[in-house]
C-alpha cells in the first residue's frame, strides 16, 4: 500500500497522525504524537518525520536530537498548545 500524503505537508507520511513518537533530546526522553510534531508545514520535525532529514536513533529506538532538553521542553509545549509560555 502506498504511503498517504499529509494535507499540511504534501509529502509522504511515515506513520499515522496519532502515532506516538519517542524522542531522546540530550539524554532526556520525551514522547508526543506525530500530529503534534508535524502541524507546522516544512518545519524541522515535519522534515525529520517525513524522511527528508536523516535521523539518529538511540538504543531504545527513540529519535536522538543532540540539543539541550531544558530548551526543548518549551518548544514541545508550544507545539502542543500553540501558545507561548512567557515563564523563564
Amino acid at each position: 500500500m502506498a504511503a498517504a500524503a499529509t494535507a499540511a505537508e504534501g509529502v509522504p507520511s511515515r506513520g499515522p497522525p496519532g502515532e506516538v513518537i519517542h524522542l531522546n533530546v540530550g539524554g532526556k526522553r520525551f514522547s508526543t504524537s506525530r500530529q503534534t510534531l508535524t502541524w507546522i508545514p516544512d518545519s524541522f520535525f515535519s522534515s525529520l518525520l517525513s524522511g527528508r532529514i536523516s535521523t539518529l536513533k538511540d538504543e531504545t529506538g527513540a529519535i536522538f536530537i543532540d540539543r539541550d532538553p531544558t530548551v526543548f521542553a518549551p518548544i514541545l509545549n508550544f507545539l502542543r498548545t500553540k501558545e507561548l509560555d512567557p515563564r523563564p
Side-chain angles (χ1 to χ4, degrees), residues 13 15-21 32-36 38:
S13 173
E19 176 186 10
V20 175
I21 303 295
T32 192
S33 70
R34 174 179 294 276
Q35 184 175 4
T36 294
T38 60

Side-chain angles (χ1 to χ4, degrees), residues 4-76:
T6 61
E9 299 168 14
V11 297
S13 173
R14 293 214 170 192
E19 176 186 10
V20 175
I21 303 295
H22 301 285
L23 304 169
N24 173 344
V25 182
K28 183 172 181 180
R29 300 265 311 189
F30 293 87
S31 296
T32 192
S33 70
R34 174 179 294 276
Q35 184 175 4
T36 294
L37 291 176
T38 60
W39 71 266
I40 300 175
D42 298 319
S43 68
F44 169 78
F45 293 109
S46 294
S47 296
L48 186 76
L49 295 176
S50 72
R52 289 182 287 171
I53 296 175
S54 62
T55 61
L56 293 174
K57 302 244 176 153
D58 71 7
E59 65 281 353
T60 68
I63 297 170
F64 178 73
I65 300 173
D66 191 16
R67 294 290 182 261
D68 183 344
T70 58
V71 173
F72 179 73
I75 294 168
L76 183 56

